[in-house]
Structures are given as C-alpha cells and as structure tokens.
Amino acid sequence: MTLYEFAPSGNCHKVRLMLSLLGLAWRSVAVNGRDREQKSAAFLALNPFGQVPVLVDGTVTVRDSQSILVYLARRYGGEQWLPGEPAAMAEVIAWLSVASYEVWQGPAMVRAFHKFGREVDLARATALMTDLFAVLEQRLASQPWLALDRPTIADIAVYPYVALVPEGHVDLAPWPALVRWLGRVQALPGYVGMPGMAVTASP
Amino acid sequence: MTLYEFAPSGNCHKVRLMLSLLGLAWRSVAVNGRDREQKSAAFLALNPFGQVPVLVDGTVTVRDSQSILVYLARRYGGEQWLPGEPAAMAEVIAWLSVASYEVWQGPAMVRAFHKFGREVDLARATALMTDLFAVLEQRLASQPWLALDRPTIADIAVYPYVALVPEGHVDLAPWPALVRWLGRVQALPGYVGMPGMAVTASP
C-alpha cells in the first residue's frame, strides 16, 4: 500500500495510526502541503479535491481520511473497527461526519491558524471547538469510547486533531474525560503518535 | 419511524427522499429551526449536537443526515444503495464526507445566507461551492452517478443543497453535466422534491 501524505497533517496521521493498529505494511509518498503540492496537476489526477491523504492499495485508490478508515476497517479489520450491523454502523458513521466538519472546522483550524498561519476565522473555529469538546466531554464521562463499547474508527477519526490542540495554544485541562480518552487511544496496541500531540497519563 | 425535522432543511430533505425511494412509512415531528428549537434541552437529549434531522426507529436513534442514510440503506435497502464490499463502500463514504463539509460549507451556506439571513462568509462559501461544482461537473461529465455505476446514498447525500442553490441566487447553467445529474435523481422511482429546488428537464 502507498500513502500519499503530508506528515504534519492530522488527517494523514489518522491513516498512519489505523495502518499501525492493524499491523499493515505501507510506504509513504510525501506531498508537500506547504508548497501546495496537493493542488498540482499530477496530484489532482489522483484526487480531484486536491487533498491528502490518498491511499493506493493495488488497483484501489481511496481519497478522504474518513473513507480510508472505512476501507481499511472493512478490508483488513473485520467487524471490530466498523461493524456491518446497521445501527452500530450508523453510530460509527455519525462520528465520521463529526470528524469531517466539527473537528476539521474547530480544533483543526485553531491549530492551523497558529501552526501554519492559515487564514482562519479564529473566533468561529474556537466556538466550534468549545461546543464540540463539551459534547465529547459529556459523552466520554459516561462511556470509554465514542461510538460503541470498544474502540472503532470513530475514535481514530476524531482523535488526531483533539490530541494536537496544544499546537493551537489550547490547554485541555477543562475537559478531563476527553484527556482520559486520549490516554486510552494512546494505550492501544500498535499506537503511534506524532510530534505536537498531547501525551497523557495512563487512562 | 419518526423523523425529527425542519422542513426547509436540505439535510432533512435527503432523509425524506431516501425514505420515499425505499418506500418506507414514517411520521414527521417538526423542530422549528427559526426558533432554534433544535438547541432546546428536550432536543439536546435526543441529539447533543443540537442538529436536525434525527431518526428514531423503534429502539434505535440515529443523528446526522449522512449517518441516517447509511442506516436506512443497510437496514432497508440491501446492497444497492451502500454496498458492503470495502472499495465500493469507501467510494460511497468519501462522498458522504463531501456532503458533510464541502456541500455544507459551500452551496448550503450560500443558500442559508440568502434564504435565512444566516451569518456567512459569503466569499468563502462561494469559493468552496465553485470548486466543488467544478469537481462534480468533471465527474458527472464522464459517468452518470457520483460513486458507482448506479445511484447510491452518495448521490442522495450531495443532491439537496445542489438542487437548492437557485435559492442562493446561483444559476446552474455553467454546470450542464451537474444539471443533467439533478434530472437523473429527479427521475428515480419514488423521488420527492421540495419547494425551491431546481426542476430540470428529463435526464
């Protein structure tokens, strides 16, 4: 498998994390996000949206980090990471939507403002992040994992940009259940982190 | 089944459309988005994100319009609308991510600015919409449906806010393949529309 990725991207990290949790071998092709290489003609042929990550597995090309998690879970992970039963699958998918919008426009943009100097409406991003963290805190105060009674790709999809908010100058102390959940993810067999992530005490 | 919905919402329409395509019976409970009833304590108990639609089917509660499409497709639609094969499923899910972010922040926000007076960065929403429509136009110029060789929930997820852009004072004429795709969706057996949607010639 080949992963086209920009190393500092949290969306790319979630794919690296899933590959590692599943014990899969892969090679990396760097796409330089600072030079906007993901908008080059060569890359647009791979993904017309001009976004990393993209995973190529034999004849299969998958774009979009959430979609890549679905692919890896269904092809290599069996029922554990994304169950086929309709209600359970829908519960996981609902968190992928949260990863695509609330997580991306909230904590990921707060970080992007500080780390990459990206043009961001910081007040809006901070408000989205605060609302999101309140929902996550309430949820994780009463159950260990976001979607089901075990870790699923819902947790993997939401995790990176929460763990990376210290790079957005955000202190996670007001959300202790969220911090404990970060610790549970970090304790999963095969876990890999990336620079800039909050490192928590054991869960 | 009970659908909690705000009638003018395109996200609610996509669920009504899917229910109709599958020939399912349901009842509607109105949630008044203009009075922000979706942020009331009673509704937050149903969905802590404070968003419509929410579908209740017996003991199962599903939030998030994309997730509801997954639930309905897997429970009542069989393989047709969301296949279980990993690569095909991932292709459909990638379009659900597009519905959650690009469609929502692009055409849906252009419409919300004009129709509901919502506070929107109109330049940003218009740019996202234009980029999205260019990708959709290129895709639909060479294949009839977004994800696979047949209609799937990818098409249903993206459809409403594209069809509703006339309410955002946008003329779809520059994207003829996109308009023909709207016509194909509108020709599906069991199709239902809503006020404000572009009505196209037969596909």
Side-chain angles (χ1 to χ4, degrees):
Chain A
M1 274 184 282
T2 302
L3 178 63
Y4 294 80
E5 60 165 346
F6 177 50
S9 155
N11 282 330
C12 294
H13 175 264
K14 72 179 73 163
V15 177
R16 293 195 298 270
L17 174 53
M18 195 69 220
L19 287 161
S20 182
L21 292 170
L22 293 172
L24 298 169
W26 55 285
R27 73 180 188 103
S28 171
V29 173
V31 179
N32 193 328
R34 286 197 181 79
D35 295 343
R36 295 179 62 77
E37 193 182 347
Q38 75 274 20
K39 303 296 182 186
S40 67
F43 193 80
L44 288 172
L46 205 58
N47 177 6
F49 285 94
Q51 298 162 348
V52 287
V54 170
L55 183 77
V56 178
D57 183 15
T59 60
V60 176
T61 299
V62 191
R63 66 172 170 83
D64 177 68
S65 57
Q66 273 60 255
S67 173
I68 295 171
L69 295 183
V70 167
Y71 174 77
L72 292 173
R74 297 296 296 177
R75 173 137 292 167
Y76 299 107
E79 283 288 296
Q80 179 186 350
W81 293 96
L82 177 60
E85 190 280 319
M89 178 177 279
E91 182 60 37
V92 173
I93 299 291
W95 289 102
L96 300 192
S97 293
V98 171
S100 290
Y101 177 59
E102 282 86 355
V103 174
W104 178 244
Q105 290 292 286
M109 285 303 118
V110 171
R111 171 182 180 247
F113 175 85
H114 288 288
K115 185 174 175 73
F116 303 118
R118 184 162 170 157
E119 266 189 59
V120 167
D121 180 342
L122 191 61
R124 176 179 177 273
T126 303
L128 272 166
M129 179 190 72
T130 306
D131 287 351
L132 169 66
F133 283 6
V135 175
L136 295 176
E137 179 70 14
Q138 183 188 30
R139 180 101 179 164
L140 293 166
S142 64
Q143 61 185 71
W145 303 103
L146 283 178
L148 304 178
D149 59 0
R150 62 181 187 273
T152 66
I153 58 171
D155 301 283
I156 308 308
V158 173
Y159 171 80
Y161 288 113
V162 178
L164 286 166
V165 290
E167 291 196 328
H169 303 181
V170 176
D171 179 358
L172 282 166
W175 301 284
L178 191 54
V179 171
R180 286 192 298 274
W181 168 77
L182 295 181
R184 283 190 289 276
V185 174
Q186 291 168 7
L188 290 171
Y191 174 81
V192 287
M194 66 177 271
M197 281 186 160
V199 177
T200 72
S202 56
Chain B
M1 275 184 282
T2 302
L3 179 63
Y4 294 81
E5 60 164 345
F6 178 49
S9 155
N11 282 330
C12 294
H13 176 263
K14 75 180 70 162
V15 177
R16 292 195 299 270
L17 174 53
M18 196 69 218
L19 287 162
S20 181
L21 292 170
L22 293 172
L24 299 168
W26 55 285
R27 74 181 187 104
S28 171
V29 172
V31 179
N32 192 326
R34 286 197 181 80
D35 295 343
R36 294 179 63 76
E37 193 182 346
Q38 75 275 20
K39 303 296 183 187
S40 68
F43 193 80
L44 288 172
L46 206 59
N47 178 6
F49 284 94
Q51 298 162 346
V52 286
V54 169
L55 183 77
V56 177
D57 183 14
T59 60
V60 176
T61 299
V62 191
R63 66 172 171 82
D64 177 69
S65 57
Q66 272 61 254
S67 173
I68 295 172
L69 295 183
V70 167
Y71 174 77
L72 292 173
R74 297 296 296 176
R75 173 137 294 167
Y76 299 107
E79 284 287 296
Q80 180 186 348
W81 293 96
L82 177 60
E85 190 279 318
M89 178 177 279
E91 182 60 37
V92 174
I93 298 290
W95 290 102
L96 301 192
S97 293
V98 171
S100 290
Y101 177 59
E102 282 85 357
V103 174
W104 177 243
Q105 290 292 286
M109 285 303 119
V110 171
R111 172 183 179 245
F113 175 84
H114 288 287
K115 186 176 175 69
F116 303 118
R118 184 162 170 157
E119 268 190 57
V120 166
D121 180 342
L122 191 62
R124 174 180 178 274
T126 303
L128 272 166
M129 179 190 73
T130 307
D131 287 351
L132 169 66
F133 284 5
V135 175
L136 295 176
E137 179 70 14
Q138 183 187 30
R139 180 101 178 164
L140 293 165
S142 63
Q143 60 185 72
W145 303 103
L146 283 178
L148 304 177
D149 60 0
R150 62 180 188 274
T152 66
I153 59 171
D155 300 283
I156 307 307
V158 173
Y159 171 79
Y161 288 114
V162 177
L164 285 166
V165 291
E167 291 197 327
H169 304 181
V170 176
D171 179 358
L172 283 166
W175 301 284
L178 191 54
V179 171
R180 287 193 297 274
W181 168 76
L182 295 181
R184 283 192 288 276
V185 173
Q186 291 168 7
L188 290 171
Y191 174 83
V192 287
M194 66 178 272
M197 282 184 159
V199 177
T200 72
S202 56

